[in-house]
Amino acid sequence: MTLLSNTSAAEPHRDEPKKKVILFQGDSITDAGRDRKRQSANDPRGLGRGYPMLVAGRLLADAPGLHVHNRGISGNKVPDLQNRWQADCLDVKPDVLSILIGVNDIWHKLNGRYEGTVEDYANGYRELLTQTMEALPDTRIVICEPFVLKCGAVNDKWFPEFDERREAALALANDLKLTVVPFQTMFNKALEDAPPQHWAGDGVHPSLAGHSLMAKTWCEVVLKSK
Amino acid sequence: MTLLSNTSAAEPHRDEPKKKVILFQGDSITDAGRDRKRQSANDPRGLGRGYPMLVAGRLLADAPGLHVHNRGISGNKVPDLQNRWQADCLDVKPDVLSILIGVNDIWHKLNGRYEGTVEDYANGYRELLTQTMEALPDTRIVICEPFVLKCGAVNDKWFPEFDERREAALALANDLKLTVVPFQTMFNKALEDAPPQHWAGDGVHPSLAGHSLMAKTWCEVVLKSK
């Protein structure tokens, strides 16, 4: 677990090793049916049924000193994260913070429930990240690439704006030198093995197979193993 | 997924590859809060929050042609499996059948709710397995070693009878040449890394960390990888 090491933190007493904290943030894809009243680390009901739970399932076998939290909330866009960031991110003080946000920023716009532009997304996301980097300078931030599969609810109206938002997230990560988990690239490649519906029936919310692929890729990219 | 291959089955049409089926059977450890009304393969709610779900999470990333089912039922002992075996196992026609049973056979006896002996357990389990091998000769059967951690509900009264039942399961697997997943050995070794409560608070039902370790070991033993 060396990639989770937080070398600048004060060393805890040797008999009470500090738990490393991984926090997953995002929308319904991250939320994945979690029980929001259960906020203890490593609680299966609190972690939901998606990739955060499966990442925990891959890591906890070998890392007893790991605390995994999920604070994704269904329907969230960048402004929603901003509104709850102090309590749901900064106060959690993660060693690794993983964020997946963007699909509702366009989906709700297509549904007429939101008016934010690509520029709003990029600017709001940059504010969120710079605020986090200032408040938690030792936290490793992981940007998950927003993705869609071309099936279900996802039609031609989503493009090119979805891709512009996706590229804005990647540009931000590049600019701020943050780790990227390339979920769109991953799903595009997975289409060689199975049709889009296998990975996400509505084009947005992954099946167990989709979440499984996300968890594997997340671990490979962030931990270079598992 | 070569270890899941079922070479004696008729080859399906090349455009409709046969799905490989893994079935998990057992008691509450396997059940793990699954929604029993949801019996479709690879349904996260139908798989529960335990090692069957985490095994699926590890495998589905690389194996689109895999169907994972969970039919564990909380509180079950060997006689309960026998009573529902036709519908809940033979009719499912698994390519791989994984069974974890035994802890309630002693726990319910200690609680005064059951009177079966170690011999009853061994004989009933043998009947179940020979019936299965006759009905499903091409199915690979995996015997999961019953286990307890010495904490919570598990006290000295459990021994040596628990060990006798555990050894009976291993002897059966050896006699019938079935794969064994050595969960007790695995948890005994895991105590070098964390106390028993970390792996199973009541000594019987694993935490997410415990289920994570079980899923990893299951995949390593059964698939020699993952």
Side-chain angles (χ1 to χ4, degrees):
Chain A
M1 302 298 296
T2 52
L3 285 156
L4 293 177
S5 65
N6 184 349
T7 52
S8 63
E11 281 298 307
H13 188 282
R14 59 178 298 169
D15 292 330
E16 297 169 4
K18 181 180 180 296
K19 297 277 186 178
K20 294 294 175 186
V21 176
I22 300 181
L23 171 62
F24 288 93
Q25 267 292 2
D27 52 35
S28 57
I29 301 168
T30 303
D31 187 334
R34 73 185 175 94
D35 181 342
R36 294 178 198 161
K37 293 189 295 293
R38 301 178 78 117
Q39 303 220 334
S40 303
N42 306 346
D43 181 330
R45 292 178 195 281
L47 286 173
R49 301 180 185 277
Y51 72 98
M53 159 75 151
L54 298 179
V55 167
R58 283 177 176 259
L59 299 184
L60 287 170
D62 301 313
L66 189 67
H67 273 180
V68 183
H69 291 279
N70 184 354
R71 294 288 186 279
I73 292 189
S74 187
N76 268 198
K77 302 177 291 296
V78 166
D80 302 304
L81 293 189
Q82 290 177 301
N83 287 339
R84 61 186 183 84
W85 208 239
Q86 184 65 45
D88 280 358
C89 175
L90 304 185
D91 290 352
V92 179
K93 297 185 173 56
D95 296 287
V96 176
L97 166 64
S98 175
I99 308 174
L100 172 56
I101 197 77
V103 75
N104 291 316
D105 298 69
I106 175 169
W107 201 358
H108 292 190
K109 191 176 175 188
L110 291 169
N111 288 340
R113 296 160 54 195
Y114 181 62
E115 298 199 342
T117 63
V118 175
E119 194 175 14
D120 292 333
Y121 172 75
N123 290 342
Y125 206 170
R126 178 182 290 274
E127 282 173 23
L128 191 79
L129 292 170
T130 52
Q131 174 195 5
T132 309
M133 293 167 78
E134 284 170 18
L136 302 171
D138 298 320
T139 296
R140 180 177 175 195
I141 301 177
V142 175
I143 302 296
C144 297
E145 183 184 20
F147 62 88
V148 289
L149 284 292
K150 291 183 182 175
C151 62
V154 178
N155 55 32
D156 288 345
K157 291 180 184 167
W158 286 59
F159 303 94
E161 190 171 324
F162 176 78
D163 283 332
E164 291 166 5
R165 290 170 185 269
R166 188 174 58 72
E167 284 159 12
L170 298 180
L172 263 176
N174 183 60
D175 191 36
L176 300 174
K177 298 182 173 41
L178 305 177
T179 301
V180 169
V181 184
F183 282 145
Q184 186 68 67
T185 306
M186 174 198 81
F187 277 121
N188 290 350
K189 188 166 185 313
L191 295 176
E192 297 169 12
D193 299 321
Q197 295 82 358
H198 174 79
W199 303 108
D202 67 1
V204 172
H205 297 97
S207 61
L208 182 56
H211 278 293
S212 172
L213 190 60
M214 291 170 70
K216 182 187 179 202
T217 301
W218 194 98
C219 289
E220 285 173 350
V221 170
V222 177
L223 306 173
K224 311 290 187 196
S225 65
K226 300 291 166 196
Chain B
M1 301 300 294
T2 52
L3 286 157
L4 293 177
S5 64
N6 183 350
T7 51
S8 64
E11 280 299 308
H13 188 283
R14 60 178 298 169
D15 292 329
E16 297 169 4
K18 180 180 180 296
K19 298 276 187 177
K20 295 294 176 187
V21 175
I22 299 180
L23 170 63
F24 288 94
Q25 266 292 2
D27 52 35
S28 57
I29 301 168
T30 304
D31 187 336
R34 72 186 176 94
D35 181 342
R36 295 179 197 160
K37 293 188 294 294
R38 300 177 78 118
Q39 302 220 335
S40 302
N42 306 344
D43 181 330
R45 293 179 194 279
L47 287 173
R49 301 178 186 279
Y51 72 98
M53 159 77 152
L54 298 179
V55 166
R58 283 177 178 259
L59 299 184
L60 287 170
D62 301 313
L66 188 67
H67 272 181
V68 183
H69 290 280
N70 183 354
R71 293 287 187 280
I73 292 189
S74 185
N76 268 198
K77 302 178 290 296
V78 166
D80 302 305
L81 294 189
Q82 291 178 300
N83 287 339
R84 62 186 183 84
W85 208 238
Q86 184 66 45
D88 281 359
C89 175
L90 304 185
D91 290 353
V92 179
K93 296 184 175 58
D95 296 288
V96 176
L97 165 64
S98 175
I99 309 174
L100 171 57
I101 198 77
V103 75
N104 291 317
D105 297 69
I106 176 169
W107 202 358
H108 291 192
K109 191 176 173 184
L110 291 169
N111 287 340
R113 297 160 54 195
Y114 182 61
E115 298 198 344
T117 64
V118 175
E119 195 175 10
D120 291 334
Y121 172 74
N123 290 342
Y125 206 169
R126 179 182 291 272
E127 282 173 23
L128 192 77
L129 292 170
T130 51
Q131 173 195 7
T132 309
M133 293 167 79
E134 284 169 19
L136 302 172
D138 298 319
T139 296
R140 180 177 176 195
I141 301 177
V142 175
I143 302 298
C144 296
E145 183 184 21
F147 63 88
V148 289
L149 285 292
K150 292 184 181 175
C151 63
V154 178
N155 56 32
D156 288 345
K157 290 181 185 169
W158 287 60
F159 303 94
E161 190 172 326
F162 176 78
D163 283 332
E164 290 165 5
R165 289 170 185 269
R166 187 174 58 74
E167 284 159 13
L170 298 180
L172 263 177
N174 183 58
D175 191 35
L176 300 173
K177 298 183 171 40
L178 306 177
T179 301
V180 169
V181 183
F183 282 145
Q184 185 68 66
T185 306
M186 174 199 82
F187 276 122
N188 290 350
K189 189 168 185 312
L191 295 176
E192 296 169 11
D193 300 322
Q197 295 81 358
H198 174 79
W199 304 107
D202 67 2
V204 171
H205 297 99
S207 63
L208 182 56
H211 278 293
S212 172
L213 191 58
M214 291 170 71
K216 182 187 179 206
T217 300
W218 194 98
C219 290
E220 285 173 351
V221 170
V222 177
L223 305 174
K224 311 290 186 195
S225 66
K226 300 290 166 192

